[in-house]
Amino acid sequence: MNYLDSLYWIHERTKFGVKPGVKRMEWMLERLNNPQHNIRGIHVGGTNGKGSTVAYLRAALVDNGYEVGTFTSPFIETFNERISLNGVPISDDEVVELVQIVKTVSEDMDEQTDLGVATEFEIITAMMFVYFGKLHPVDFVIIEAGLGIKNDSTNVFNPIMAILTSIGLDHTDILGDTYIDIARDKGDIVKPHIPVIYAVKNDDALKVIRSYAEERHATPIEFDRDIDIVSEDDEFTYRYKDYELETIVLEMIGEHQKENAALAITALIELNERNYIELDFNKMIDGIESVYWTGRIEQVKEQPLMILDGAHNTESVSALTDTIKKYYHIDKMDILFSAIKGKSVRKMAENLTEIADRFYITDFEFPKSLTKEDIYQDVPSDNKEMIDDYVSFIENYDGDGLLITGSLYFISEVKAKLNF
């Protein structure tokens, strides 16, 4: 198989959908000699902010001289970025090698068991564990969970640190439709005797996470209780234990990014105190301040103003609207919106009405993409229009400002088609 053949085989797994549970992962990893046991891993879960938190951790560790692997999803510019080494996607040849290894085991599972066919995410997760646990060992692997935690494909290793960024009402068709249901699932990131750092705001969800930490004798480190930030304009001060770090200025804008950075800083301090790393605090802050995460409030054009953001649920849309109002000082923008199935389109659109002048609704080439007709029905605005060719629309847009949002998968396709 060449690279394109390998990608085709991986993406073909999407037809098998989402199949919660770790039994297929455990079966495949057992036949691969359990490479997940060979990594020193940090598990990052949550509804929003996972990718940014991973990026902050990675940058700080790399700047401190460590070799760091990351596993993230979805990809924005190239498939290979899902498995990256020191922020650089693995090579095409390495993807081919990993597919050849995992494909054989996956096919054996299908033929020899009644567990069913491995999904796309399971295949890529297995590839990641093989890469960092066997082919290219590193100092640390930072692993972003996919959907939930309890039945997520990544939940098959013993981390040295766990981070739960947030809990929101997302993927309710799979995880449950209350904060308690979702907290019970995502709370499984709490492992016995392992520090867990979390930024859970909902009171019901918070009780669940606290109870999990107590039952499992994990060390709970809570944002707004143990961790404090004082925000002033673009900068903030971080406080934890006896540590106080002043005038931190992030490249990534938004109050939510300050929170994500604070979680990463706390994890790094804990790793330092537990003798996993020797931390140069100046290098840590330099690394964190320099992080730029594509597809997150990314300004791709100045005249007219054009911003991409992969806000894909109610909470992330709220953070997006707050950031646009605070940092761009613009009353209203046009919105080009598309989303995938399983999302609360109406609630997302309601939040966007705070900054929306007019909604332009489209769809894109993705198996789970909603049709523009379905989205149109759920957008509670009289000032809306369906767009057939969003590429032409963007290329010819001449309004005052355009925000392109609704799905990270949509943002990925937009960047690919328009070379942003």
Side-chain angles (χ1 to χ4, degrees):
M1 298 177 73
N2 60 28
Y3 177 69
L4 291 179
D5 291 334
S6 299
L7 285 191
Y8 177 81
W9 181 80
I10 293 170
H11 294 323
E12 192 183 26
R13 309 297 97 194
T14 58
K15 67 185 179 185
F16 300 110
V18 176
K19 298 191 288 188
V22 297
K23 289 184 177 179
R24 286 175 300 279
M25 281 298 301
E26 289 173 341
W27 195 96
M28 289 191 293
L29 292 171
E30 176 71 26
R31 270 103 192 129
L32 292 164
N33 295 318
N34 289 310
Q36 78 279 14
H37 296 334
N38 300 331
I39 68 167
R40 183 181 283 179
I42 301 168
H43 206 184
V44 181
T47 303
N48 297 302
K50 298 189 295 291
S52 300
T53 304
V54 168
Y56 291 132
L57 284 167
R58 184 260 305 156
L61 286 169
V62 170
D63 276 20
N64 269 272
Y66 295 97
E67 192 170 43
V68 182
T70 52
F71 180 64
T72 56
S73 63
F75 71 89
I76 300 298
E77 295 177 333
T78 65
F79 171 84
N80 302 25
E81 73 193 45
R82 298 187 69 167
I83 304 172
S84 292
L85 178 63
N86 295 337
V88 179
I90 62 173
S91 70
D92 293 355
D93 288 343
E94 287 171 318
V95 169
V96 173
E97 182 180 8
L98 290 169
V99 166
Q100 289 174 335
I101 292 170
V102 174
K103 182 174 184 288
T104 300
V105 173
S106 171
E107 291 173 345
D108 287 345
M109 180 174 68
D110 186 30
E111 294 171 1
Q112 299 172 18
T113 77
D114 58 0
L115 294 173
V117 180
T119 66
E120 179 187 39
F121 190 73
E122 289 169 339
I123 291 295
I124 302 168
T125 306
M127 290 167 57
M128 176 272 296
F129 281 127
V130 169
Y131 187 74
F132 294 122
K134 183 178 180 181
L135 301 185
H136 196 119
V138 293
D139 295 313
F140 299 96
V141 186
I142 311 169
I143 297 173
E144 177 187 340
L147 201 163
I149 296 292
K150 185 175 183 179
N151 293 301
D152 186 67
S153 303
T154 63
N155 196 29
V156 291
F157 75 105
N158 296 316
I160 60 170
M161 185 79 61
I163 302 174
L164 187 58
T165 57
S166 65
I167 287 178
L169 297 177
D170 197 14
H171 299 296
T172 54
D173 54 330
I174 296 173
L175 302 180
D177 56 8
T178 70
Y179 280 99
I180 290 177
D181 289 336
I182 294 175
R184 285 172 177 161
D185 184 290
K186 292 184 185 289
D188 205 54
I189 201 168
V190 181
K191 297 296 188 291
H193 309 289
I194 297 298
V196 57
I197 304 163
Y198 52 95
V200 176
K201 305 295 174 55
N202 178 269
D203 288 339
D204 291 334
L206 197 53
K207 290 175 183 176
V208 173
I209 302 305
R210 287 171 175 170
S211 68
Y212 274 36
E214 183 177 358
E215 291 166 6
R216 300 175 187 185
H217 304 287
T219 303
I221 304 170
E222 188 173 306
F223 188 83
D224 278 342
R225 184 188 67 182
D226 307 300
I227 309 164
D228 184 40
I229 62 172
V230 180
S231 182
E232 184 175 345
D233 297 326
D234 293 342
E235 65 184 44
F236 71 99
T237 297
Y238 165 92
R239 297 191 182 111
Y240 173 62
K241 295 181 177 177
D242 294 329
Y243 299 94
E244 181 170 283
L245 306 174
E246 297 180 314
T247 61
I248 302 172
V249 182
L250 303 176
E251 180 73 21
M252 297 176 68
I253 61 175
E255 294 302 305
H256 58 298
Q257 292 298 348
K258 297 174 183 178
E259 180 178 303
N260 296 335
L263 297 178
I265 292 169
T266 307
L268 292 159
I269 288 173
E270 285 294 317
L271 289 172
N272 185 63
E273 290 193 346
R274 294 163 189 270
N275 297 317
Y276 283 109
I277 59 175
E278 292 184 12
L279 187 63
D280 182 317
F281 278 68
N282 289 326
K283 290 179 180 179
M284 172 183 72
I285 296 302
D286 287 346
I288 286 173
E289 286 184 330
S290 69
V291 166
Y292 174 76
W293 200 235
T294 185
R296 275 73 167 185
I297 311 184
E298 179 182 359
Q299 183 176 327
V300 294
K301 200 172 181 181
E302 188 170 353
Q303 291 294 333
L305 177 64
M306 200 170 289
I307 298 169
L308 307 180
D309 189 88
H312 58 283
N313 54 46
T314 307
E315 289 82 4
S316 57
V317 167
S318 293
L320 169 61
T321 56
D322 290 344
T323 303
I324 293 294
K325 288 187 289 185
K326 179 175 180 178
Y327 288 87
Y328 285 91
H329 309 292
I330 186 169
D331 292 329
K332 296 288 182 178
M333 296 185 71
D334 293 326
I335 310 291
L336 178 62
F337 185 85
S338 194
I340 64 173
K341 296 172 184 176
K343 298 295 181 177
S344 300
V345 171
R346 178 169 291 275
K347 291 182 179 178
M348 292 167 68
E350 284 174 353
N351 286 349
L352 285 168
T353 56
E354 291 185 36
I355 58 170
D357 186 16
R358 184 173 182 81
F359 280 94
Y360 294 95
I361 297 154
T362 192
D363 43 29
F364 63 108
E365 298 169 10
F366 185 69
K368 295 190 291 183
S369 171
L370 285 167
T371 65
K372 56 183 176 294
E373 290 80 11
D374 285 340
I375 298 172
Y376 187 90
Q377 295 300 319
D378 272 344
V379 172
S381 171
D382 295 328
N383 199 9
K384 58 186 179 181
E385 177 184 340
M386 285 189 283
I387 300 296
D388 292 326
D389 183 354
Y390 74 78
V391 173
S392 177
F393 172 80
I394 293 171
E395 289 176 336
N396 295 290
Y397 178 78
D398 61 356
D400 294 329
L402 180 66
L403 172 62
I404 305 168
T405 190
S407 167
L408 275 169
Y409 295 101
F410 178 45
I411 297 304
S412 176
E413 187 173 293
V414 168
K415 288 181 72 69
K417 290 192 172 184
L418 286 122
N419 295 316
F420 282 145

